[in-house]
Amino acid sequence: MSTRRKFLQSSIIGSAAVLTGEKLLAAKPLTVAAVLNNPIVISTWDFGKAANAGAWEILQKGGRALDAVEAGVRIPEADESNQSIGYGGLPDRDGKVTLDACIMDEFYNCGSVMALEHIMHPISVARMVMEKTPHIILAGDGALQFALANGFKKENLLTAKSEHDWKEWLKTAKYEPVKNIENQLYDKTKDPMPGGIKNHDTIGMLAMDAAGNFGGACTTSGMAYKIHGRVGDSPVIGAGLYVDNEVGGATATGVGEEVIRIVGAHLIVELMRQGLSPEAACKEGVERIIKRNPIKAKEVQVGFLAMNKKGEFGAYCLQKGFTYAVRSNQEEKIYTAPSIY
Ligand code: ASP
């Protein structure tokens, strides 16, 4: 865990949000202990570094955390070499690329899309669900219909590489997620599944802007070769992502079923509210997963990442190898999260 205490300036700013219909709109920041003029963005895995750079462009100009996280995660969404997010993501067992994403702002506004096909930037559709509809979640065909009606372009997201890997996978059709594919610990020469990289991993991003407000985003193509229609934790508010502007935020990566069972991100935010550091809260999260099923917990990867209102951040994971990227005025760095095993 790292701290940025020397730059902290605490203040109490009253809530002056405006209630319009059912959604809270920004008027004045709803902050309790604002960390002014010291923005920071953190995100999961090594690929978080490039995503953070996109978010940083907005944060360093004094932009809003929500805008920063959306812009940030759009980078891996459009990166065809990244086979676990957006365009180029590995398909389900039927060869369909189905994407999950959610976004949350500093006023508990949130939006989510589940099992969305053909749209390169599911995070931006999730934001539109949040801002332009009375709903929070749109799924499947309905989500696609909504996206197309709102100007998003229908595209083929299955790249030649991912199609090739899927066809190789079909030869054995063994559903066996591989841990830590997104970092150097993964040894591709010992790939237990034919056809190269096939796995999961998500970008979860949390930002605190210069006004001390939080935003979060999470986007993924989910578990490769999942059953068509399977939805993981990533677009589930409270599981894959949660932001509470009074406390901070948390996000998750790894086998989503394990995260949903313990409502991971919300759990971690509540533990921080009770006074735990981000790292200690993330550790408690992974320990809950172990408590439920210690045998299963040894076989899967789950990583949690969190940040509090002081700009302190931390992470914890089950298996060695979960990394996360940090960008602030003080540093641009990739950290390795401590692990249980
Ligand atoms: N959490 C994602 C899912 O279950 C995958 C991952 O982050 O590795 O869909």
Side-chain angles (χ1 to χ4, degrees):
M1 192 195 71
S2 298
T3 59
R4 300 152 64 242
R5 285 205 184 90
K6 57 185 168 176
F7 293 91
L8 306 185
Q9 179 189 347
S10 291
S11 67
I12 306 291
I13 301 175
S15 159
V18 179
L19 193 61
T20 56
E22 295 205 335
K23 303 222 169 179
L24 281 164
L25 297 175
K28 277 188 192 168
L30 183 75
T31 51
V32 175
V35 183
L36 299 175
N37 293 320
N38 206 17
I40 175 168
V41 56
I42 63 177
S43 56
T44 53
W45 301 109
D46 294 4
F47 52 58
K49 190 178 175 195
N52 286 354
W56 188 248
E57 278 182 33
I58 292 175
L59 291 174
Q60 70 176 350
K61 289 187 213 135
R64 188 179 174 203
L66 182 75
D67 295 326
V69 295
E70 181 191 6
V73 304
R74 281 173 62 99
I75 290 170
E77 278 184 344
D79 177 358
E80 80 166 90
S81 69
N82 185 323
Q83 289 186 289
S84 60
I85 300 166
Y87 177 54
L90 287 164
D92 62 21
R93 59 180 55 187
D94 299 342
K96 293 176 175 156
V97 180
T98 67
L99 305 178
D100 295 337
C102 74
I103 194 159
M104 193 158 182
D105 75 4
E106 69 272 42
F107 298 106
Y108 303 101
N109 294 318
C110 41
S112 160
V113 287
M114 300 181 173
L116 174 64
E117 290 180 62
H118 306 301
I119 302 292
M120 172 126 20
H121 291 298
I123 199 66
S124 298
V125 185
R127 181 168 180 174
M128 207 173 260
V129 173
M130 172 174 98
E131 292 179 337
K132 299 218 158 112
T133 80
H135 308 306
I136 290 178
I137 303 169
L138 291 180
D141 284 350
L144 176 60
Q145 226 179 326
F146 172 78
L148 297 177
N150 283 283
F152 288 86
K153 204 166 97 206
K154 187 168 182 175
E155 294 180 81
N156 173 27
L157 303 181
L158 185 65
T159 55
K161 165 89 177 102
S162 287
E163 187 175 7
H164 166 83
D165 288 353
W166 167 62
K167 286 188 172 150
E168 285 296 307
W169 174 80
L170 280 176
K171 292 178 184 164
T172 57
K174 199 163 143 215
Y175 185 71
E176 190 180 90
V178 182
K179 296 170 212 138
N180 300 324
I181 205 108
E182 295 305 340
N183 65 33
Q184 57 285 33
L185 283 183
Y186 178 65
D187 181 356
K188 293 186 182 77
T189 61
K190 294 198 185 126
D191 192 341
M193 302 162 79
I197 294 179
K198 42 189 79 60
N199 190 35
H200 53 97
D201 282 345
T202 293
I203 184 143
M205 178 180 278
L206 303 164
M208 183 170 66
D209 60 31
N213 287 319
F214 265 68
C218 192
T219 176
T220 189
S221 50
M223 309 295 286
Y225 318 130
K226 59 196 173 187
I227 295 173
H228 182 61
R230 180 264 186 190
V231 172
D233 61 313
S234 309
V236 178
I237 300 291
L241 176 77
Y242 198 71
V243 168
D244 184 320
N245 209 44
E246 287 183 3
V247 179
T251 190
T253 182
V255 176
E257 285 74 5
E258 299 303 317
V259 178
I260 293 171
R261 285 192 183 96
I262 62 152
V263 198
H266 186 260
L267 168 69
I268 287 161
V269 169
E270 289 307 305
L271 289 167
M272 292 196 294
R273 191 196 302 282
Q274 289 164 25
L276 261 60
S277 70
E279 183 181 307
C282 291
K283 184 168 187 235
E284 171 77 26
V286 290
E287 280 168 351
R288 293 269 175 110
I289 292 172
I290 297 169
K291 202 169 151 200
R292 188 191 78 80
N293 187 339
I295 296 164
K296 173 98 181 171
K298 284 204 173 109
E299 291 162 8
V300 298
Q301 175 65 303
V302 170
F304 291 118
L305 175 65
M307 180 159 69
N308 67 19
K309 286 290 285 189
K310 294 185 218 156
E312 297 167 338
F313 55 83
Y316 225 91
C317 56
L318 281 171
Q319 320 291 338
K320 274 194 181 54
F322 169 45
T323 56
Y324 62 98
V326 176
R327 180 74 208 255
S328 67
N329 283 321
Q330 290 77 50
E331 63 182 324
E332 181 175 24
K333 196 169 160 182
I334 294 178
Y335 286 84
T336 300
S339 62
I340 301 280
Y341 301 119

